[in-house]
């Protein structure tokens, strides 16, 4: 990516004086203003109840702000036609706080959902979903329904669903909330790999230790007010690196060009990491 | 019932289980209503065709047999020379007695009762001769003659049949409206029950139409399943009713045979009802999703 492109590029998410209140209550978010560059990696920090989930909901278009301006991929969402929202949403992958998997569908069908709603061909769906589920170590659980899976397995299904359509922006709401520290670091590494492939990442967490050790930028919410800390280290955007983790993700979008036996290859490193 | 993979667990809803049976009942009723309409329509036109262009000339008897004979001959001469008339037939006495016996008993055939002469007249189909005009022509030369063209009787019957037809049509309309209402209700309930899953589908990037199709497909499936059951119950019922009607009175109800077209119309009813159900579900979902973000 050329430097001038980086500078000229529209921020992927921009908030201007955004305020949010639920019903007639007091404002949960107040005067929130920030802009995130494409390809950046941010933590969203704040105590429980600070408004992290609410802020993410505004980004993934589950809520409208009470005031202020939000723009996503350069589109002012207030003036975007309702019919255009699905297209925007397809570019945003979300790992919800409670996963929000559909319990009557198998792990496979849950992960396939974003492709199916986008009208992707059946054969493509089969290939990509199978590959991704294998990659997250759920090859033997494709037909299992979420209630029969462990918390960790459900989380992996949720992550797979969030990344299956290779979103430009990935949001994760406290993905490290229910897991131990080692697991938390592994998860963050996974998100870093995705980031390296070009996806902009925002992870809500209240785990300060994680943030300090990794040195990404952070958005800090205190009682609905936001302050932004730029990251100490810049992530290297190397679109050509073939790390063990990035390969299957890249495969998702190079479908058809990869050899047929790609899926039957020995289980990848990441799978062990995630388990 | 048939299971299709669906992104919403609609086939587990209580209401959806009951829906095919309701639709079966609706289709059953509508097939009967349509069959009734077809029978009535065919009967009315058959009677109409049978009676239009026919008249009955009646010569009231006097005490004088010779005079009566002369009057009959005069009438027949006039009829024979009228170009509008295709055919005429004097009912012989035995036939007249047979017709009267149920009403007045054995006295009819005893010869003690003076019997009128009845002449069936059939007009050419192109003729524009009214009963009044023929009556004038006859009474000018012959006395004691009256003419009946069955109009009053026929008009009343036709009006009665038309009323029944309108009723059957109303029943059909009511059935369709009831089906639409039921589908709206079950769809709204489904939307409420699956609110969470629908929100997830939206957030994943589904268009309203994608979600609406889930409901529409289900409504179509349930409609067809129920509709076919309803049709299969209705057909033997119609057969049984038709058989019963024939044993009751084969003169009043002409022997109605359903034609291919009739069967096609009845077989199309489950499809019509299913398509109505599908469109109703789709519109209902699209309307209520419009209000969501
Ligand atoms: N649907 C809602 N209706 C009313 N109040 C809400 C709703 N969701 C969140 N809140 C309130 O908004 C505030 C921020 O909540 P949330 O965004 O979930 O914070 P966090 O994710 O940081 O814990 C809290 O005070 C919470 O009670
Ligand atoms: Mg939260």
């Amino acid at each position: 990516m050329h430097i001038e492109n980086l500078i000229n590029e529209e921020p992927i998410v921009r908030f201007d004086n955004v305020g949010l209140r639920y019903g007639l209550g007091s404002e949960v978010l107040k005067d929130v203003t920030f802009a995130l560059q494409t390809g950046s990696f941010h933590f969203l920090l704040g105590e429980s109840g600070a408004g992290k989930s609410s802020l993410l909901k505004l980004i993934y278009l589950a809520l409208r702000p009470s005031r202020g301006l939000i723009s996503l991929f350069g589109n002012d969402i207030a003036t975007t036609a309702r019919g255009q929202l699905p297209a925007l949403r397809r570019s945003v992958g979300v790992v919800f706080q409670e996963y929000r998997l559909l319990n009557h569908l198998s792990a496979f069908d849950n992960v396939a959902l974003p492709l199916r709603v986008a009208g992707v061909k059946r054969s493509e769906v089969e290939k990509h979903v199978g590959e991704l589920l294998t990659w997250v170590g759920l090859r033997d659980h494709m037909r299992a329904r979420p209630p029969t899976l462990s918390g960790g397995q459900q989380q992996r299904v949720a992550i797979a669903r969030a990344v299956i359509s290779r979103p430009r922006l990935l949001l994760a709401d406290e993905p490290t909330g229910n897991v131990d520290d080692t697991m938390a670091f592994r998860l963050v590494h996974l998100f870093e790999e995705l980031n390296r492939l070009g996806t902009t990442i925002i992870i809500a967490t209240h785990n300060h230790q994680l943030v300090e050790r990794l040195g990404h930028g952070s958005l800090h919410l205190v009682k609905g007010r936001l302050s932004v800390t730029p990251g100490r280290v810049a992530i290297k955007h190397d679109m050509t690196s073939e790390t063990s983790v990035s390969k299957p993700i890249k495969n998702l979008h190079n479908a058809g060009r990869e050899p047929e036996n790609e899926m039957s290859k020995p289980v990848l490193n990441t799978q062990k990491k995630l388990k | 019932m048939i299971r299709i993979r669906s992104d919403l667990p609609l086939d587990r809803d209580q209401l959806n289980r009951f829906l095919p049976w309701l639709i079966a009942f609706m289709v059953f009723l509508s097939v009967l209503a349509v069959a009734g309409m077809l029978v009535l329509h065919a009967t009315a036109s058959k009677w109409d065709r049978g009676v239009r262009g026919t008249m009955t000339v009646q010569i009231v008897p006097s005490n004088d047999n010779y005079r009566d004979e002369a009057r009959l001959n005069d009438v027949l001469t006039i009829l024979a020379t009228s170009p509008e008339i295709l055919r005429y037939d004097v009912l012989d006495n035995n036939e007249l007695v047979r017709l009267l016996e149920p009403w007045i008993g054995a006295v009819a055939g005893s010869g003690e009762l003076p019997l009128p002469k009845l002449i069936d007249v059939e007009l050419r189909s192109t003729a524009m001769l009214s009963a009044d005009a023929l009556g004038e022509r006859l009474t000018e030369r012959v006395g004691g003659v009256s003419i009946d063209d069955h109009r009053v009787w026929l008009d009343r019957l036709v009006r009665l049949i038309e009323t029944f037809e309108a009723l059957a049509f109303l029943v059909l309309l009511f059935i369709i409206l009831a089906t639409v209402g039921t589908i709206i209700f079950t769809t709204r309930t489904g939307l409420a029950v699956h609110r969470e899953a629908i929100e997830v589908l939206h957030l994943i990037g589904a268009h309203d139409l994608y979600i609406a199709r889930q409901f529409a497909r289900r409504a179509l499936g349930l409609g067809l399943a129920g509709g076919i059951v309803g049709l299969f119950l209705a057909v033997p019922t119609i057969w049984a009713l038709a058989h019963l009607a024939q044993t009751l009175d084969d003169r009043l109800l002409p022997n109605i045979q359903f034609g291919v077209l009739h069967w096609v119309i009845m077989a199309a009813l489950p499809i019509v009802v299913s398509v109505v159900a599908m469109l109703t579900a789709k519109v209902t979902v699209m309307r209520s999703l419009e209000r969501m973000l």
Side-chain angles (χ1 to χ4, degrees):
Chain A
M1 199 174 271
H2 297 291
I3 292 294
E4 58 267 30
N5 280 357
L6 266 178
I7 292 165
N8 291 339
E9 203 166 346
E10 184 89 34
I12 197 160
V13 184
R14 193 158 67 87
F15 274 47
D16 267 328
N17 279 309
V18 169
L20 174 71
R21 62 172 85 234
Y22 289 100
L24 299 171
S26 58
E27 281 200 321
V28 171
L29 295 173
K30 306 176 186 86
D31 298 319
V32 172
T33 299
F34 68 90
L36 300 185
Q37 288 309 313
T38 301
S40 63
F41 189 124
H42 283 86
F43 284 108
L44 174 58
L45 286 159
E47 301 288 300
S48 181
K52 301 183 295 298
S53 296
S54 303
L55 181 65
L56 292 183
K57 280 178 189 165
L58 287 174
I59 301 175
Y60 61 72
L61 307 179
L63 285 177
R64 295 269 187 181
S66 313
R67 62 188 172 87
L69 183 135
I70 296 177
S71 96
L72 193 59
F73 313 121
N75 303 285
D76 175 0
I77 61 144
T79 58
T80 303
R82 212 185 109 73
Q84 298 302 309
L85 296 182
L88 289 184
R89 285 176 173 137
R90 284 173 198 172
S91 300
V92 182
V94 188
V95 183
F96 301 101
Q97 190 159 7
E98 306 296 337
Y99 311 145
R100 301 183 74 170
L101 299 174
L102 301 189
N103 285 337
H104 68 286
L105 295 181
S106 65
F108 184 95
D109 287 333
N110 266 284
V111 175
L113 219 45
L115 299 180
R116 289 194 174 128
V117 302
V120 173
K121 271 203 314 237
R122 178 189 287 251
S123 58
E124 299 272 296
V125 171
E126 303 277 317
K127 180 176 168 9
H128 294 172
V129 175
E131 204 165 310
L132 188 57
L133 277 170
T134 305
W135 179 57
V136 298
L138 291 172
R139 187 198 191 121
D140 300 330
H141 299 278
M142 291 200 194
R143 296 289 149 210
R145 302 193 173 215
T148 67
L149 295 173
S150 74
Q153 289 169 328
Q154 289 184 30
Q155 186 177 47
R156 279 181 269 159
V157 175
I159 291 171
R161 185 180 67 183
V163 304
I164 185 75
S165 52
R166 186 74 189 278
R168 294 164 69 187
L169 176 62
L170 182 72
L171 310 176
D173 199 350
E174 311 224 22
T176 59
N178 308 324
V179 298
D180 61 43
D181 270 3
T182 343
M183 187 64 204
F185 274 100
R186 283 175 186 167
L187 268 177
V188 172
H189 280 306
L190 163 67
F191 291 129
E192 285 178 338
E193 293 289 348
L194 290 165
N195 183 237
R196 201 161 290 148
L197 289 163
T199 307
T200 310
I201 311 263
I202 305 174
I203 301 176
T205 181
H206 50 239
N207 187 338
H208 286 257
Q209 198 206 347
L210 198 68
V211 183
E212 276 151 26
R213 272 180 58 181
L214 290 166
H216 296 297
S218 64
L219 307 166
H220 210 121
L221 265 178
V222 180
K223 289 180 185 155
R225 293 195 179 274
L226 187 86
S227 55
V228 183
T229 314
R232 277 188 279 111
V233 292
I235 295 267
K236 186 170 63 115
H237 292 278
D238 182 359
M239 305 296 281
T240 56
S241 76
E242 285 282 320
T243 64
S244 57
V245 181
S246 60
K247 201 173 176 202
I249 292 280
K250 293 192 84 170
N251 286 352
L252 284 176
H253 296 273
N254 295 335
R257 272 171 267 155
E258 299 291 326
E260 263 309 301
N261 60 354
E262 192 66 25
M263 268 180 73
S264 53
K265 275 187 178 171
V267 182
L268 297 145
N269 294 345
T270 323
Q271 184 184 349
K272 286 182 205 119
K273 277 195 204 163
L274 278 169
K275 255 182 187 162
Chain B
M1 290 278 158
I2 352 133
R3 286 176 74 103
I4 326 163
R5 193 193 67 81
S6 163
D7 294 338
L8 297 172
L10 298 176
D11 47 358
R12 285 182 219 162
D13 294 358
Q14 285 299 325
L15 278 168
N16 273 341
R17 283 194 202 155
F18 144 84
L19 204 57
W21 296 107
L22 189 101
I23 288 182
F25 183 61
M26 295 296 191
V27 167
F28 176 78
L29 287 182
S30 60
V31 171
L32 289 192
V34 166
M37 267 163 65
L38 295 174
V39 167
L40 288 173
H41 199 80
T43 307
S45 58
K46 198 161 179 173
W47 279 347
D48 197 35
R49 248 183 292 116
V51 169
R52 182 179 302 143
T54 68
M55 293 179 189
T56 308
V57 177
Q58 180 182 224
I59 302 168
V60 184
S62 62
N63 299 329
D64 185 344
N65 274 348
Y66 288 111
R67 239 193 85 205
D68 284 354
E69 203 62 39
R71 284 161 73 214
L72 176 62
N73 283 333
D74 288 346
V75 167
L76 292 181
T77 312
I78 295 169
L79 292 178
T81 53
S82 296
E84 301 95 336
I85 288 168
L86 178 68
R87 201 169 55 78
Y88 57 87
D89 236 341
V90 183
L91 261 68
D92 73 53
N93 266 358
N94 292 339
E95 198 168 342
L96 206 56
V97 168
R98 192 177 62 79
L99 284 175
L100 285 174
E101 236 166 4
W103 307 98
I104 57 175
V107 85
S110 65
E112 286 163 20
L113 196 73
L115 293 176
K117 284 285 177 205
L118 292 183
I119 309 163
D120 265 349
V121 174
E122 194 176 325
L123 301 181
R124 288 184 196 284
S125 55
T126 51
M128 298 294 283
L129 182 66
S130 73
D132 287 346
L134 181 63
E136 242 171 62
R137 200 179 292 170
L138 291 172
T139 44
E140 253 174 29
R141 293 199 242 158
V142 191
V145 177
S146 69
I147 304 240
D148 178 14
D149 66 355
H150 322 292
R151 251 306 123 200
V152 176
W153 175 77
L154 184 71
D155 282 351
R156 271 194 205 139
L157 258 176
V158 166
R159 223 172 298 134
L160 184 70
I161 284 178
E162 277 169 1
T163 311
F164 278 128
E165 276 186 62
L167 271 177
F169 183 74
L170 276 181
V171 167
L172 196 64
L173 201 68
F174 174 77
I175 289 167
I176 298 275
L177 286 180
T179 308
V180 166
T182 312
I183 297 286
I184 291 177
F185 176 69
T186 51
T187 304
R188 290 228 177 111
T189 311
L191 281 167
V193 169
H194 304 294
R195 199 188 169 76
E196 160 72 16
I198 288 168
E199 197 184 327
V200 170
L201 285 178
H202 260 158
L203 294 178
I204 276 171
H207 276 285
D208 291 351
L209 192 60
Y210 182 90
I211 296 163
R213 267 197 221 117
Q214 311 268 324
F215 283 88
R217 214 184 300 155
R218 184 113 318 236
L220 181 68
L222 295 181
L224 281 177
I228 287 166
V229 170
L231 183 66
F232 272 90
L233 291 178
V235 168
T237 310
I238 290 170
W239 257 320
L241 283 178
H243 184 71
L244 202 68
Q246 265 166 40
T247 58
L248 275 183
D249 191 341
D250 59 345
R251 273 166 300 165
L252 193 60
L253 274 180
N255 188 10
I256 300 290
Q257 294 293 329
F258 285 113
V260 175
L261 181 69
H262 296 163
W263 287 117
V264 167
I265 289 174
M266 285 188 264
L269 279 171
I271 297 168
V272 170
V273 170
S274 307
V275 169
V276 166
M278 180 185 77
L279 293 178
T280 306
K282 187 171 148 187
V283 171
T284 308
V285 174
M286 292 301 280
R287 285 240 179 117
S288 43
L289 289 186
E290 260 168 27
R291 276 177 255 131
M292 284 176 81
L293 179 60

